[in-house]
Amino acid sequence: AWHGTNLADEDTPALDVLSILLGTGESSRLFRRLKRERELVNDCYAYSYTPQDPGLLVVGAQIHGEKIEEAFTALLEETWRLCYEEPERAELDKAKTIILSDAVYQKETVQGIARKIGYFELVAGSVAFEDLYYAKVKEVTPEDVKRVAKKYLRPEAFSVATLLPTAHEGQMTEAKVQAIAKAVHAKLEAEHERPRFTLGALQVAKTKLSNGA
């Protein structure tokens, strides 16, 4: 978990979109890459908790006992990758659709409407904030997601909680967590600081073979 924002913060819409594309649903980044492709976890998720006071951005997983370190490493890597690479437009639009459609579903009943009114009045200070929030969600760009990722997902400012069976209780010590985090951060830094190969002037050679080709 990292320190996050309150509901009324200007960065909240972008952080909400980030958390959705990272870890909500079977097409999210964490689910596809950690569960489906690499089979490291039983389940994984991400969410942004934005109450009246500054909240949290949380990333988590249920991990196979023998793959704790590998899964934790992959979890950090996929999360921090958003600090270096802008998300694709398709996954950004999908995350926005999830947020906006959820708002519609919650208003299918009178009770749902009442909860929404009470929530925005109490937490944001005004019922009118709801329309403003969803308008800002629609405006979130890939650049915004990368910006808030770099701002909030700082390697030196996160907390880790583990619930382990007795046989593995000494496996994720503070020193181990810090070592893994440092290695992941160094890997991503190296990947994105490599000089790009560029072609110079092309030299074209023409050769005629004995058979006339």
Side-chain angles (χ1 to χ4, degrees):
W2 288 261
H3 294 291
T5 58
N6 60 35
L7 178 62
D9 193 284
E10 61 181 7
D11 288 335
T12 293
L15 271 179
D16 286 347
V17 171
L18 181 156
S19 69
I20 294 292
L21 68 87
L22 181 62
T24 297
E26 295 185 3
S27 62
S28 65
R29 288 191 173 197
L30 292 179
F31 192 96
R32 285 188 289 110
R33 297 174 182 175
L34 271 65
K35 182 174 182 178
R36 186 177 300 155
E37 295 175 10
R38 301 179 62 181
E39 299 182 346
L40 293 175
V41 302
N42 296 321
D43 190 22
C44 49
Y45 56 86
Y47 63 88
S48 181
Y49 171 56
T50 53
Q52 202 169 26
D53 297 313
L56 297 169
L57 183 71
V58 180
V59 178
Q62 295 175 359
I63 301 172
H64 301 300
E66 69 278 7
K67 297 181 179 179
I68 294 173
E69 292 182 25
E70 186 180 359
F72 179 64
T73 299
L75 196 69
L76 281 182
E77 186 173 334
E78 290 302 330
T79 301
W80 278 337
R81 192 172 297 281
L82 288 169
C83 299
Y84 298 88
E85 303 170 4
E86 295 175 2
E88 296 179 1
R89 177 63 65 174
E91 61 179 341
L92 183 72
D93 290 343
K94 182 198 66 180
K96 292 181 183 180
T97 299
I98 291 174
I99 293 174
L100 297 172
S101 61
D102 185 60
V104 174
Y105 296 147
Q106 291 184 31
K107 292 184 176 181
E108 289 184 327
T109 65
V110 174
Q111 292 91 339
I113 295 173
R115 280 195 296 270
K116 275 289 186 181
I117 292 173
Y119 173 75
F120 283 106
E121 181 67 32
L122 176 64
V123 180
S126 172
V127 175
F129 180 81
E130 180 179 12
D131 291 338
L132 177 63
Y133 168 77
Y134 291 122
K136 289 184 176 180
V137 167
K138 294 177 182 178
E139 295 172 355
V140 172
T141 65
E143 294 82 5
D144 290 330
V145 173
K146 181 180 178 182
R147 175 183 60 81
V148 296
K150 293 178 69 174
K151 181 177 180 180
Y152 293 95
L153 302 179
R154 301 192 310 277
E156 72 278 8
F158 73 105
S159 300
V160 177
T162 59
L163 180 62
L164 303 172
T166 304
H168 298 279
E169 62 182 358
Q171 192 167 346
M172 293 298 289
T173 63
E174 182 177 354
K176 174 63 71 173
V177 167
Q178 292 297 330
I180 292 174
K182 184 177 180 180
V184 170
H185 183 62
K187 177 184 177 182
L188 291 170
E189 286 283 316
E191 286 181 0
H192 293 83
E193 289 183 357
R194 293 171 182 166
R196 295 184 178 274
F197 177 76
T198 55
L199 291 173
L202 294 177
Q203 300 296 321
V204 180
K206 183 177 181 180
T207 302
K208 186 174 182 179
L209 303 181
S210 59
N211 63 0

